């Protein structure tokens, strides 16, 4: 059996992409082998115009000695448009063993030069047609010969759906997606070979407003990109005899309006089934009373092939229940705050109007709550035609919701037949790459909520929220969440597209708009931590995927952003002027302010340093020596001035906030003793706050890293596990199924933060996911060798509540896993390392003598390249493969149980006092003035905090039934 196999060939991140316009496409592959320590020594890569014949390939790399298996750029003869290129790969391993040729994969080009686009933009004649409803357009097409293959290339000013002979084309929704339309618009490619007949055919188009001209922003702006909807389309038919025919949109197409009377992204859709035009997109339909279309020139001109993965229905959710609210509304509960639409079935007399109103939460009285939607109506109306069972789902809108208020639906035996409703989850259809699970169900729920927050807000672009009249591509939100996002899903195409829009919309002076695509009015204003998305996002895609091209493409944009900052204010090393959003929504904000207490110039200067560092590192990757020098110097200056301006000589920061300390640590702005002091102060700030955070959008993503990586990992874990307000788990105790915009979107008393700006589906605080994968599970990389070519598995085992943590991540090279399990007796760690990578595995509190892998002592294990002991850990260098490490837990790594508020509350009741008295005569409560809410046993037992003998504590905790068993680690 051949034990070396090339699998999963992708091109530009996609499997067999149809319709790309990349002139030098990049191909990546993965390698499988059961033999540990497998690497690619060499590859051979061939491209052919024939799927079966590679005898005379168009391009043949020949035997190429190289470990590179990601992003191999095609360097053969210039590609041509509208052609399918087949490719295959074989590899040799380090022993010279070769694989078979891989299965054949392909890519297909669309328009490599957009001047080849011939079709005109057409729009229904504005003087003849009502502009509100969704347009129907149709064209009969006579084909004369046997068809070999056929493609449709299409795009629209608006959002569109195609049909051919009465059947929907493809599965995409909300095409062409949202780009900065005045700069660039994507077209889609569809293989319609099997949908065409050799004689008469009809192309149908549904065309709605979408982002192009529909309502956008809280100011209800309309017609942002233009005041007419338009479509441009080319049907390319290749006949069996080798001839070709082109059908193009032109003024002969006909148009009308139909059943979709209204459709807006924010507001929903109104569908009157009585107005359906039966057979409108099939042959023989009489369109004589349809209106004309006209050719127009006002539409976008820069057409680019689809870059992002398409938006699709990715899951169907069945309702959990239906109930009547105290206010008397009939409400369906999907059990999950989701984004998408309801598909319903109904049988009712013609003209029955069913109204669905979508909302995310119930208020504290149990009534459905629409307040936070602001002006977004999220209302879908369906009017029946009365012809038996009818089925409907809105097409050109999406809702953020868990609850649906249903009106007008005919009841059956007095009840709503809930089985006639399903939720369809809609978002960019990315490949799932990550899974994360622990022994703590609340943390697992948090992980799920993070993933749902990502799904709901990755509807073609990274948005802040999916429900209110906003849904915009806020740069700051994207920047804080991107690394987490890239663990959960493959975000290469998604962020490539969005970053091209960022570059396109960047201001002339290098400033970066708050939202991308930019539709906000406020002139050319930029803010720290938002504009830095220009630098952080491409860098993250590069790190995770090894994608150098995105760095090259974005380099000018990255540099322009840093140079923009440099020009601000009088001191080139500080950013201390202009408008800043600051530590947005931090809890230390002044009354009635969204902006946290951390000085804005401190934040701005810290991010300035960070972006300069990343820019410098990018210059290193791109081998721009001059820039490496320039930005190394600039970084030095910023760091020096940061210290002069914001740090006392002994390490106190001018801003006494968690976020200030966090940034100074994670952006490496303080060194030596000052750094130690900063870490200490940060920890103290968290302790003073009873293990609660105060951070907003800026500090939160980095808070746990700042603690864990500077000696205070246990504090970080306590923050994660904190279940009282404010904390991640708090929202879960309040029933959250997604991440909220505010720590107190729902307050402890059940009331809402406000109607004003209160999203229950906002991924920013989900950025903790990054730390969960990288620190808790320990899936890390050496950044100097991106894409996890050089992995570091460094789990944090022990000293916390967890008995196991398990994570895996589908990297570009293949699956990486780190799963650990801790019992009193032993530690187990399962590690998976993909072929063509190596890993350093750090086993905490292990020693070489009794470390085993799958029953063998470690110095005799295949795949282990080196073994060292350092700082009480064992460090291994390993090659690819799956490993099961086991070692005795003899250094006393134990769980430290965190006693949560329940205990402290209990300490106040009489029964507890009795129990306490029984086990610990003369006990005193933990210092009441410190208002300690969460204590570990260690602290409860430490002097000054509480005087409870250890054995008393153990018994107490057992009696109170808070945990199954108690172990103490007081060392
Ligand atoms: C609101 C949202 C968004 C944030 C901006 C500054 O619109 O909270 O997430 O980035 O403000």
């Amino acid at each position: 059996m051949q034990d070396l196999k090339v699998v999963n060939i992708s091109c530009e991140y996609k499997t067999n992409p149809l319709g790309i316009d990349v002139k030098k496409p990049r191909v990546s592959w993965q390698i499988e082998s059961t033999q540990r320590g497998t690497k690619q020594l060499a590859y051979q890569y061939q491209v052919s115009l024939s799927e079966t014949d590679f005898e005379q390939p168009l391009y043949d790399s020949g035997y190429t000695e190289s470990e590179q298996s990601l992003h191999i750029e095609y360097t053969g003869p210039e590609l041509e448009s509208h052609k399918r290129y087949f490719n295959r790969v074989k590899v040799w391993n380090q022993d010279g063993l070769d694989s078979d040729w891989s299965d054949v994969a392909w890519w297909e080009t669309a328009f490599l030069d957009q001047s080849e686009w011939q079709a005109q933009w057409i729009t229904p004649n504005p003087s003849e047609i009502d502009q509100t409803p969704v347009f129907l357009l149709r064209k009969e097409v006579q084909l004369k010969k046997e068809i070999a293959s056929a493609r449709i290339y299409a795009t629209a000013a608006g959002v569109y759906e195609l049909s051919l002979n009465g059947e929907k084309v493809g599965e995409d929704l909300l095409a062409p997606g949202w780009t900065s339309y005045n700069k660039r618009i994507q077209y889609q490619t569809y293989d319609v070979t099997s949908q065409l007949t050799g004689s008469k055919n009809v192309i149908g188009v549904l065309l709605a407003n979408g982002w192009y001209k529909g309502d956008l922003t809280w100011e209800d702006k309309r017609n942002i990109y233009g005041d007419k909807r338009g479509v441009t389309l080319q049907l390319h038919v290749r006949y069996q005899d080798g001839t070709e025919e082109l059908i193009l949109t032109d003024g002969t197409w006909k148009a009308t309006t139909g059943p979709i009377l209204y459709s807006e992204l924010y507001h929903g859709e109104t569908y009157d089934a009585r107005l359906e035009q039966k057979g409108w997109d099939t042959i023989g339909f009489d369109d004589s009373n349809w209106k004309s279309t006209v050719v127009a020139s006002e539409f976008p001109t820069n057409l680019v092939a689809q870059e992002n993965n398409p938006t699709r229905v990715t899951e169907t959710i069945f309702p959990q229940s239906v109930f009547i609210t105290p206010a008397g509304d009939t409400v369906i509960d999907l059990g999950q705050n989701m984004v998408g639409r309801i598909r319903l079935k109904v049988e009712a007399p013609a003209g029955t109007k069913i109204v669905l109103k979508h909302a995310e939460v119930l208020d504290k009285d149990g009534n459905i709550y629409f307040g936070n939607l602001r002006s977004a109506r999220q209302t879908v109306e369906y009017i029946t035609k009365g012809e038996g069972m009818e089925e409907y789902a809105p097409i050109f809108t999406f809702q953020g919701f868990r609850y649906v208020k249903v009106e007008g639906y005919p009841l059956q035996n007095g009840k709503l037949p809930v089985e006639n409703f399903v939720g369809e989850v809609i978002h960019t259809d990315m490949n799932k790459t990550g899974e994360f699970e622990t022994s703590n169900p609340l943390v697992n729920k948090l992980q799920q909520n993070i993933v749902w927050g990502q799904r709901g807000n990755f509807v073609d672009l990274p948005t802040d929220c999916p429900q209110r009249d906003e849904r915009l591509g806020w740069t700051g939100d994207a920047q804080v969440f991107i690394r987490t996002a890239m663990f959960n899903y493959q975000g290469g195409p998604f962020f490539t597209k969005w970053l091209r829009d960022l570059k396109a919309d960047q201001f002339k002076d290098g400033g970066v708009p708050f939202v991308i695509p930019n539709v906000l009015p406020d002139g050319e204003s930029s803010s720290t931590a938002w504009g830095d998305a220009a630098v952080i996002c491409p860098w993250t895609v590069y790190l995770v995927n090894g994608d150098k091209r995105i760095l090259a493409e974005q380099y000018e944009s990255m540099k322009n952003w840093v140079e923009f900052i440099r020009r601000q204010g009088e001191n080139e090393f500080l950013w201390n002027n202009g408008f800043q959003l600051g530590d947005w929504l931090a809890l230390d904000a002044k009354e009635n302010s969204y902006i946290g207490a951390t000085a804005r110039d401190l934040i701005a200067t810290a991010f300035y340093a960070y972006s300069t560092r990343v820019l410098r590192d990018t210059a290193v990757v791109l081998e721009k020596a001059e820039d490496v020098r320039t930005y190394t110097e600039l970084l030095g200056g910023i760091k020096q001035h940061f210290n002069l301006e914001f740090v006392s000589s002994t390490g106190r920061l001018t801003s006494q906030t968690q976020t200030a300390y966090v940034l100074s640590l994670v952006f490496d702005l303080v060194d030596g003793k000052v750094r130690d002091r900063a870490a200490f102060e940060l920890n103290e700030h968290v302790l003073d706050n009873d293990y609660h955070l105060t951070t907003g959008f800026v500090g939160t993503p980095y808070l746990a890293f700042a603690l864990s990586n500077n000696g205070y990992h246990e504090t970080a874990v306590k923050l994660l596990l904190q279940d009282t307000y404010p904390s991640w788990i708090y929202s879960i105790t309040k029933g959250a199924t997604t991440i909220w915009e505010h720590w107190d979107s729902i307050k402890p008393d059940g009331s809402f933060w406000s109607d004003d700006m209160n999203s229950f589906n906002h991924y920013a605080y989900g950025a903790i996911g990054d730390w969960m994968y990288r620190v808790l599970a320990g899936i890390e990389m050496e950044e100097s060798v991106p894409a996890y070519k050089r992995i570091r598995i460094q789990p944090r085992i022990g000293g916390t509540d967890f008995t196991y943590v398990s994570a895996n991540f589908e990297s570009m090279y293949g699956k990486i896993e780190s799963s650990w399990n801790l019992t009193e007796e032993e530690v187990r760690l399962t590690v998976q390392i993909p072929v063509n990578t190596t890993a350093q595995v750090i086993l905490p509190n292990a020693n070489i003598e009794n470390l085993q892998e799958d029953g063998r002592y470690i110095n005799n294990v295949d795949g282990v390249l080196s073994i060292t002991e350092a700082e009480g850990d064992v460090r291994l260098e390993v090659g690819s493969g799956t490993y099961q490490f086991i070692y005795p837990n003899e250094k006393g790594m134990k769980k430290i149980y965190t006693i949560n508020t329940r205990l402290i509350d209990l300490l106040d009741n009489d029964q507890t006092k009795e129990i306490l008295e029984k086990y610990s005569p003369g006990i005193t409560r933990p210092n009441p003035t410190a208002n300690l809410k969460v204590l570990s046993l260690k602290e409860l037992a430490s002097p000054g905090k509480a005087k409870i003998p250890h054995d008393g504590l153990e018994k107490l905790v057992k009696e109170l039934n808070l945990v199954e068993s108690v172990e103490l680690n007081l060392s």
Side-chain angles (χ1 to χ4, degrees):
M1 191 196 81
Q2 180 70 286
D3 183 42
L4 189 67
K5 213 173 165 202
V6 178
V7 295
N8 297 336
I9 298 187
S10 61
C11 173
E12 296 297 327
Y13 294 112
K14 296 175 185 166
T15 308
N16 301 339
L18 181 75
I20 63 171
D21 62 1
V22 183
K23 296 201 172 69
K24 293 181 185 247
R26 297 163 303 166
V27 164
S28 306
W29 55 85
Q30 297 179 350
I31 305 167
E32 285 176 355
S33 167
T34 54
Q35 192 191 324
R36 285 187 179 168
T38 300
K39 270 201 175 180
Q40 175 183 299
L41 169 78
Y43 68 82
Q44 184 172 4
Y45 167 55
Q46 293 182 332
V47 179
S48 168
L49 286 169
S50 153
E51 184 170 9
T52 48
D53 184 3
F54 282 78
E55 282 306 302
Q56 282 169 335
L58 186 68
Y59 171 74
D60 188 345
S61 72
Y63 175 88
T64 306
E65 220 159 272
S66 163
E67 280 188 22
Q68 193 184 349
S69 54
L70 306 184
H71 311 294
I72 312 282
E73 191 174 280
Y74 170 79
T75 53
E78 204 174 309
L79 298 181
E80 290 169 35
S81 297
H82 315 298
K83 274 215 157 80
R84 189 170 283 196
Y85 293 85
F86 298 91
N87 51 58
R88 63 178 193 173
V89 178
K90 74 184 282 177
V91 299
W92 286 258
N93 74 4
Q94 68 282 2
D95 304 322
L97 175 79
D98 64 338
S99 70
D100 284 338
W101 283 105
S102 66
D103 288 347
V104 173
W106 53 263
W107 74 75
E108 188 180 298
T109 54
F111 296 83
L112 292 174
D113 184 342
Q114 55 162 310
S115 67
E116 297 162 358
W117 190 278
Q118 297 175 37
Q120 290 167 309
W121 281 94
I122 56 168
T123 185
N125 191 339
S127 63
E128 294 177 11
I129 205 161
D130 179 359
Q131 290 289 329
T132 306
V134 169
F135 296 144
L136 279 57
L137 290 93
R138 79 187 294 277
K139 171 77 188 170
E140 286 196 17
V141 177
Q142 173 79 52
L143 299 175
K144 298 166 215 83
K145 302 183 233 173
E146 287 284 295
I147 297 156
S149 72
R151 302 284 179 270
I152 288 184
Y153 305 96
T155 188
V159 280
Y160 75 101
E161 228 180 72
L162 297 180
S163 57
L164 253 184
N165 301 325
E167 235 180 67
K168 177 168 159 60
V169 172
E171 297 163 47
D172 301 358
L173 292 168
L174 302 174
W178 189 10
T179 51
S180 305
Y181 293 131
N182 41 8
K183 320 262 173 50
R184 28 182 255 115
I185 189 167
Q186 299 183 124
Y187 60 86
Q188 286 67 46
T189 303
Y190 298 101
D191 181 348
V192 293
T193 314
S194 65
Q195 274 177 279
L196 281 179
T197 74
S199 58
K200 286 186 173 173
N201 298 275
V202 176
I203 307 174
V205 182
L206 294 174
L207 182 57
N209 290 333
W211 296 281
Y212 187 86
K213 74 174 291 289
D215 284 334
L216 273 187
T217 84
W218 52 89
E219 293 181 325
D220 285 344
K221 288 213 275 181
R222 291 185 68 72
N223 302 334
I224 291 187
Y225 297 98
D227 63 358
K228 284 184 205 73
R229 281 172 258 168
V231 61
T232 179
L233 173 154
Q234 305 205 165
L235 167 62
H236 291 217
V237 182
R238 211 164 276 168
Y239 293 114
Q240 305 239 346
D241 64 6
T243 56
E244 287 185 4
E245 184 159 356
L246 283 191
I247 313 295
L248 310 173
T249 38
D250 58 22
T252 64
W253 288 51
K254 303 284 283 286
T256 190
T257 58
I260 310 181
L261 296 174
Y262 177 87
S263 196
E264 285 282 331
L265 294 169
Y266 294 164
H267 303 308
E269 199 163 287
T270 300
Y271 190 102
D272 187 342
R274 296 170 302 185
L275 302 177
E276 282 172 2
Q277 308 220 19
K278 239 191 209 114
W280 70 276
D281 52 357
T282 57
I283 211 74
F285 177 83
D286 176 12
D287 64 11
S288 54
N289 59 6
W290 281 39
K291 317 286 186 232
S292 63
T293 60
V294 291
V295 169
S297 58
E298 64 203 70
F299 291 106
T301 48
N302 188 11
L303 270 52
V304 298
Q306 169 93 14
E307 295 159 346
N308 196 2
N309 308 102
T311 298
R312 290 189 172 154
V313 172
T314 62
E315 189 181 342
T316 299
I317 296 191
F318 297 94
Q320 251 178 19
S321 62
V322 56
F323 59 95
I324 312 283
T325 65
D329 295 329
T330 301
V331 170
I332 293 175
D333 177 6
L334 274 293
Q336 172 63 50
N337 195 16
M338 57 162 276
V339 172
R341 63 186 179 189
I342 289 284
R343 176 175 293 280
L344 64 81
K345 284 189 191 150
V346 61
E347 191 167 358
T352 307
K353 181 166 161 185
I354 295 147
V355 182
L356 308 180
K357 292 186 176 152
H358 304 71
E360 296 188 288
V361 289
L362 303 178
D363 67 17
K364 70 174 185 216
D365 303 321
N367 289 313
I368 189 163
Y369 170 68
F370 298 107
N372 70 322
L373 305 179
R374 301 194 308 218
S375 75
R377 288 200 293 281
Q378 293 217 118
T379 300
V380 170
E381 298 181 343
Y382 180 77
I383 299 155
T384 55
K385 57 189 167 201
E387 297 168 10
M389 194 54 108
E390 301 170 35
E391 189 174 320
Y392 164 74
I395 305 180
F396 297 114
T397 181
F398 62 90
Q399 282 75 46
F401 67 104
R402 170 175 169 171
Y403 299 97
V404 189
K405 172 177 168 182
V406 182
E407 293 169 350
Y409 194 100
L411 302 182
Q412 288 172 11
N413 304 324
K415 283 204 185 116
L416 185 75
V418 73
E419 64 280 6
N420 287 343
F421 297 79
V422 292
E424 293 185 338
V425 179
I426 293 173
H427 55 84
T428 298
D429 195 2
M430 302 161 288
N431 287 343
K432 188 153 177 47
T433 48
E435 282 171 334
F436 177 90
E437 198 190 77
T438 72
S439 49
N440 184 317
L442 291 169
V443 174
N444 299 344
K445 181 69 184 160
L446 174 63
Q447 165 66 13
Q448 288 165 18
N449 291 1
I450 294 170
V451 171
W452 275 104
Q454 176 164 359
R455 296 174 78 183
N457 283 294
F458 277 47
V459 182
D460 202 49
L461 67 153
T463 56
D464 62 328
C465 60
Q467 74 298 84
R468 67 180 178 225
D469 50 1
E470 192 162 342
R471 312 183 190 190
L472 301 177
W474 285 92
T475 47
D477 306 43
Q479 172 272 109
V480 305
F481 187 63
I482 183 171
R483 191 75 188 261
T484 304
M486 298 282 290
F487 268 112
N488 293 324
Y489 287 93
Q490 174 52 267
F494 182 85
F495 283 106
T496 301
K497 160 184 172 272
W498 185 72
L499 282 167
R500 287 180 182 161
D501 289 311
L502 185 150
K503 184 164 84 173
D505 276 349
Q506 194 163 3
F507 303 129
K508 282 208 180 60
D509 65 1
V512 174
F514 298 138
V515 300
I516 300 294
N518 185 19
V519 287
L520 291 185
D522 294 323
E524 309 212 332
S525 192
S526 299
S527 170
T528 190
W530 270 251
D532 294 284
V535 174
I536 295 169
C537 293
W539 180 249
T540 306
V541 176
Y542 161 74
L543 276 187
V544 175
N545 288 340
D547 187 340
K548 261 196 204 177
R549 187 178 283 174
I550 203 167
L551 291 184
E553 268 190 29
Q554 298 294 132
Y555 190 71
E556 280 313 300
S557 156
M558 297 165 86
K559 191 165 159 177
N560 290 344
W561 168 247
V562 170
E563 290 297 337
F564 162 81
I565 304 174
R566 191 184 199 160
R567 285 193 303 274
Q568 303 304 304
E570 276 158 19
N571 180 338
E572 66 165 321
F573 300 118
L574 295 174
W575 186 4
N576 54 12
N577 67 334
F579 171 79
Q580 299 291 359
L581 290 160
D583 192 12
W584 189 247
L585 307 187
L587 294 168
D588 47 19
K590 286 199 190 110
E591 189 84 15
N592 296 327
S593 168
Y594 289 146
I595 300 180
T598 311
R600 282 174 256 178
D601 52 353
L602 185 154
I603 298 175
T605 305
F607 270 89
Y608 178 22
Y610 182 50
S611 276
T612 303
R613 179 190 305 276
V614 172
L615 179 62
R616 192 268 318 270
D617 294 347
T618 305
V620 171
V621 174
L622 299 178
E623 296 172 37
K624 294 179 185 289
E626 180 71 39
D627 283 0
V628 173
R629 264 193 304 281
T630 307
Y631 294 110
T632 304
E633 257 169 52
L634 179 61
L635 175 60
I638 300 169
K639 192 165 166 177
Q640 189 193 357
H641 284 256
F642 181 91
N643 279 274
L644 282 173
E645 188 81 12
F646 307 113
V647 191
S648 84
S649 58
T650 52
R652 269 169 70 83
L653 293 184
T654 50
S655 273
Q656 284 296 312
T657 65
Q658 292 178 8
T659 291
Y661 283 105
V662 166
L663 297 185
S664 73
L665 289 163
V666 296
F667 293 160
D668 246 341
L669 296 166
V670 286
D671 296 320
K673 287 213 165 85
V674 174
R675 187 181 181 87
D676 294 343
R677 171 82 187 273
F680 173 82
E681 292 289 341
L682 172 60
N683 192 52
E684 287 298 300
H685 271 81
V686 176
L687 298 194
D688 287 350
N689 212 19
D690 308 339
Y691 291 100
H692 291 92
L693 44 71
T694 55
T695 49
F697 275 38
V698 163
T700 303
Y702 305 107
L703 173 59
F705 282 106
L707 290 162
S708 292
N709 294 341
N710 293 284
Y712 297 95
H713 178 62
E714 286 178 24
T715 304
V717 173
K718 280 182 199 153
L719 281 177
L720 175 74
L721 298 181
Q722 176 61 267
D723 62 359
T724 60
Y725 169 77
S727 67
W728 285 277
I729 303 292
Y730 164 73
S731 67
I732 293 169
T733 69
K734 289 283 174 194
T737 58
T738 36
I739 304 292
W740 297 343
E741 180 170 22
H742 299 265
W743 294 114
D744 54 351
S745 282
I746 298 176
K747 297 185 179 204
D749 70 3
S751 63
F752 294 127
W753 183 82
S754 148
D755 277 4
D756 175 45
M757 193 184 78
N758 195 8
S759 156
F760 292 93
N761 199 351
H762 224 78
Y763 53 56
Y765 293 152
I768 185 71
D770 181 19
W771 172 87
M772 286 157 49
Y773 279 101
R774 277 161 74 189
V775 179
L776 266 191
I779 298 183
E780 255 298 5
M781 68 163 91
E782 289 295 333
E783 295 202 349
S784 57
V785 198
Y788 298 88
K789 173 91 175 130
R790 179 108 180 79
I791 299 160
R792 198 167 74 236
I793 301 290
Q794 185 173 22
R796 306 286 184 124
I797 304 173
T800 71
D801 257 16
F802 295 103
T803 53
Y804 84 85
V805 174
S806 170
N808 62 68
F809 169 63
E810 182 69 30
S811 74
M812 293 285 291
Y813 289 101
K815 188 184 261 181
I816 303 171
E817 178 179 349
S818 171
S819 299
W820 58 264
N821 223 298
L822 176 69
T823 66
E824 240 166 83
E825 292 79 37
E826 64 183 19
V827 182
R828 284 167 184 267
L829 175 67
T830 303
V831 170
Q832 187 175 343
I833 304 301
V835 170
N836 209 21
T837 70
T838 57
Q840 182 180 41
V841 180
I842 302 174
L843 299 135
N845 289 319
N847 60 51
I848 293 177
E849 290 72 54
N850 47 23
L851 172 60
Q852 294 189 11
E853 193 280 315
D854 198 22
R856 284 164 183 266
Y857 281 100
I858 200 67
N859 38 27
N860 190 23
V861 170
D862 185 29
V864 175
L865 309 169
S866 80
I867 311 168
T868 47
E869 250 178 13
E871 297 159 28
D873 302 332
V874 172
R875 290 167 189 233
L876 309 175
E877 298 290 324
V878 303
S880 67
T882 302
Y883 301 84
Q884 310 273 356
F885 299 107
I886 302 183
Y887 56 101
N889 181 11
E890 59 185 16
K891 294 200 182 153
M893 279 196 294
K894 288 183 179 168
K895 285 181 50 171
I896 296 180
Y897 290 103
T898 304
I899 300 182
N900 60 22
T901 7
R902 269 168 63 210
L903 175 57
I904 304 304
D905 293 344
L906 285 168
L907 286 171
D908 271 341
N909 81 31
D910 287 345
Q911 186 212 351
T912 317
K913 277 187 192 139
E914 251 170 58
I915 301 169
L916 270 174
E917 195 53 44
K918 190 163 101 199
Y919 293 117
S920 325
I923 181 147
T924 54
R925 239 202 117 208
N927 178 4
T929 51
N931 189 26
L932 283 171
K933 290 225 176 82
V934 176
L935 293 170
S936 72
L937 291 180
K938 188 170 160 185
E939 285 155 332
L940 264 177
S942 60
K945 297 253 158 118
K947 297 189 185 66
I948 310 177
H950 298 167
D951 56 337
L953 247 182
E954 287 193 32
K955 288 177 199 146
L956 163 74
V957 172
K958 274 184 196 153
E959 185 142 335
L960 290 174
N961 208 9
L962 289 171
V963 286
E964 294 150 17
S965 69
V966 179
E967 299 161 81
L968 279 180
N969 179 1
L970 300 173
S971 56

